[in-house]
Amino acid sequence: MLILAKSAMNYEQMKRKIKLGADGVEVQLLNELIVSQKQFKTVEKAFPDIFKFMEFPVYSVHAPLLEYTPGLDLDEAHIDIQPNIEQLIQRDYVFLLEQIFRLAEIFALRQNHRVNVVVHSELNYKTLKVYNYSIYRELTTVIPKLLSKYKEVDLCIENVCPIRKIDKHTGEFQLGNNFSYDCIELVKDLRNTLGKEYSNRLFNVFDTCHAEITHQFVSELHNLYNEINETEYEMHTLFKRYASTTKIVHLSITKGNGNGKGKHGQPFETFNDKQKAEYYLKELKENNFNSLYVLEVAENNYDISDGFEKSIKIIKELI
C-alpha cells in the first residue's frame, strides 16, 4: 500500500512530505502553466528546473486548481479555468491539457513507473451524451490522441461535490451536475467506446471528502423529497460503487458542511477523526480497492504540513 501526499510543485514542500513519511507525491498544479485565460506555457518554460524534482516519486499530476494559488485574484486576472475534462478538451484549452500529460510522462519515464493525470468532470453523464454531444465527441477524440502520444500516462476522473462554488461576497452558488455516479458511467463508457487499446488506462479517483459532502447533500434533499433514495448515497454504497473503477483514493474529512476553508479536505487529527479513518480503511479493504492512497489534506502552512504529519501518523497506526 502506497500512501502519497498532495503537494504543489514546490521543492521544499515535496521534501517535507517525504520526510514526514509519504511514499510519494500527487502534484497539485496551480497557475504554473497559465499565462492568461487562453495562453499557456510549455512544461519546459513553467519548470526550467524540473529535473531537481526527480528525487521525489511522483505518481499523479492533478489539473490546475487556481483558487489555491497564493496571491492570485481570479476576478482581477479574468481567469476561469477549472480542472474539468469538459473544458480542457476544448480547442482553446487542449494545449494546457497536453502539457499536464507531458509533465506526467516526464516523471513516468525518469522514475520508471506509470503516472496518472487527475481531472474533474462536472457534467451529468446522460445529459453529456444527449444534449452536449459535441463535447462528448471531443472527449472521444482528444483523450485517445493524448493516451496514444503519452504512453506511460493514465487518465483518472474524480468525483466532485454537489455544490461547486458559493460566492463569498454575494452568496450566489453553482451546482455541480456530476457528484454521484456519473463519472463512473463516463469511465465505463469511454472504456467501451475507445476499446481495448485504452480501456485499461481510464479510471476514477474516489475523494472521501467529496463523498461525505454528497451524502450530506442528498440527506437534506431526502428530508424535502421523500422520493429520493438516500441509501444510494450513503458512504458504504459510495465505496462499493466506486471500487471497481478507482485507481486513486483521496483521503480527508469534512467539518460541518464541507464548504470553504477549515471545512473542506480536513486532516485526521482527533480521536473521532481516527475512528472515521478506521471506517474508511475498513471499507477500502472490504471492497477490494486496488488503489493509491493520497492524503489530500488542507494545511495552515503547507511548508510545515502539520495536518499531513498528524494524518499519516494515524493512517499508519491503522494499517
Side-chain angles (χ1 to χ4, degrees):
M1 175 191 295
L2 292 179
I3 301 175
L4 311 181
K6 194 69 168 283
S7 174
M9 193 77 166
N10 176 291
Y11 184 87
E12 293 301 325
Q13 194 179 127
M14 293 167 80
K15 181 179 178 181
R16 176 69 175 159
K17 297 288 175 68
I18 298 297
K19 183 178 180 180
L20 291 173
D23 297 311
V25 170
E26 175 174 303
V27 169
Q28 176 60 67
L29 291 173
L30 300 173
N31 67 332
E32 299 94 341
L33 293 167
I34 298 168
V35 177
S36 63
Q37 181 66 32
K38 295 181 181 180
Q39 185 179 358
F40 311 106
K41 299 176 186 176
T42 63
V43 168
E44 289 78 9
K45 284 284 182 66
F47 305 109
D49 55 352
I50 186 172
F51 293 108
K52 77 176 185 181
F53 293 94
M54 294 304 154
E55 66 182 89
F56 310 120
V58 170
Y59 290 91
S60 48
V61 177
H62 195 297
L65 280 169
L66 295 183
E67 60 264 38
Y68 294 100
T69 302
L72 177 64
D73 187 316
L74 297 178
D75 292 330
E76 287 185 3
H78 303 292
I79 294 177
D80 183 14
I81 297 172
Q82 299 297 323
N84 299 332
I85 190 66
E86 297 92 345
Q87 181 180 23
L88 294 171
I89 52 87
Q90 295 180 36
R91 181 177 61 185
D92 289 333
Y93 303 100
V94 73
F95 180 83
L96 172 60
L97 181 59
E98 178 161 4
Q99 296 313 300
I100 300 167
F101 268 76
R102 176 161 168 70
L103 178 60
E105 179 93 341
I106 291 170
F107 277 110
L109 293 174
R110 296 284 295 198
Q111 297 182 348
N112 198 31
H113 59 239
R114 301 194 69 75
V115 175
N116 309 285
V117 164
V118 177
V119 295
H120 294 182
S121 172
E122 293 203 8
L123 290 181
N124 174 278
Y125 165 67
K126 292 179 180 177
T127 305
L128 176 65
K129 288 202 72 174
V130 176
Y131 300 113
N132 295 285
Y133 189 75
S134 61
I135 296 177
Y136 177 79
R137 186 173 62 243
E138 285 301 302
L139 284 172
T140 57
T141 302
V142 172
I143 290 173
K145 285 182 179 178
L146 290 173
L147 291 176
S148 177
K149 185 173 182 179
Y150 301 100
K151 299 185 184 301
E152 302 303 315
V153 177
D154 297 334
L155 179 65
C156 299
I157 301 175
E158 181 176 346
N159 63 313
V160 295
C161 301
I163 296 180
R164 175 173 171 256
K165 182 180 181 181
I166 300 177
D167 190 290
K168 62 184 178 181
H169 302 296
T170 66
E172 294 179 353
F173 66 94
Q174 299 174 15
L175 292 176
N177 292 320
N178 175 0
F179 60 86
S180 55
Y181 302 115
D182 291 281
C183 58
I184 297 176
E185 297 306 315
L186 179 58
V187 164
K188 288 180 177 179
D189 181 278
L190 290 172
R191 285 177 174 182
N192 182 62
T193 300
L194 301 182
K196 292 181 179 180
E197 185 177 359
Y198 303 112
S199 61
N200 65 342
R201 297 176 61 192
L202 295 161
F203 301 93
N204 286 122
V205 175
F206 180 60
D207 186 300
T208 58
C209 172
H210 297 173
E212 277 191 22
I213 296 170
T214 295
H215 172 58
Q216 290 182 33
F217 182 78
V218 175
S219 294
E220 291 299 321
L221 287 179
H222 174 72
N223 293 334
L224 291 172
Y225 305 100
N226 290 329
E227 297 87 351
I228 291 175
N229 185 358
E230 183 183 9
T231 60
E232 274 296 293
Y233 300 93
E234 291 177 346
M235 290 297 289
H236 170 73
T237 309
L238 287 159
F239 273 100
K240 185 175 181 180
R241 293 280 291 272
Y242 272 92
S244 64
T245 57
T246 293
K247 189 177 182 185
I248 300 171
V249 176
H250 284 171
L251 291 168
S252 67
I253 57 175
T254 64
K255 301 290 185 183
N257 63 14
N259 180 68
K261 188 174 182 180
K263 299 178 182 179
H264 191 90
Q266 294 302 291
F268 300 94
E269 298 177 313
T270 67
F271 176 76
N272 288 337
D273 298 344
K274 185 174 182 178
Q275 287 186 311
K276 188 171 283 188
E278 187 172 17
Y279 168 68
Y280 286 170
L281 293 172
K282 176 174 172 286
E283 288 284 2
L284 291 167
K285 182 177 180 180
E286 290 183 353
N287 287 289
N288 298 311
F289 275 75
N290 182 23
S291 308
L292 299 167
Y293 297 162
V294 181
L295 280 168
E296 187 186 45
V297 297
E299 302 282 0
N300 293 319
N301 186 323
Y302 284 90
D303 293 331
I304 297 173
S305 296
D306 54 348
F308 176 80
E309 183 175 11
K310 294 172 184 175
S311 297
I312 196 167
K313 181 179 179 182
I314 285 175
I315 295 298
K316 289 194 171 183
E317 286 175 359
L318 293 171
I319 58 176

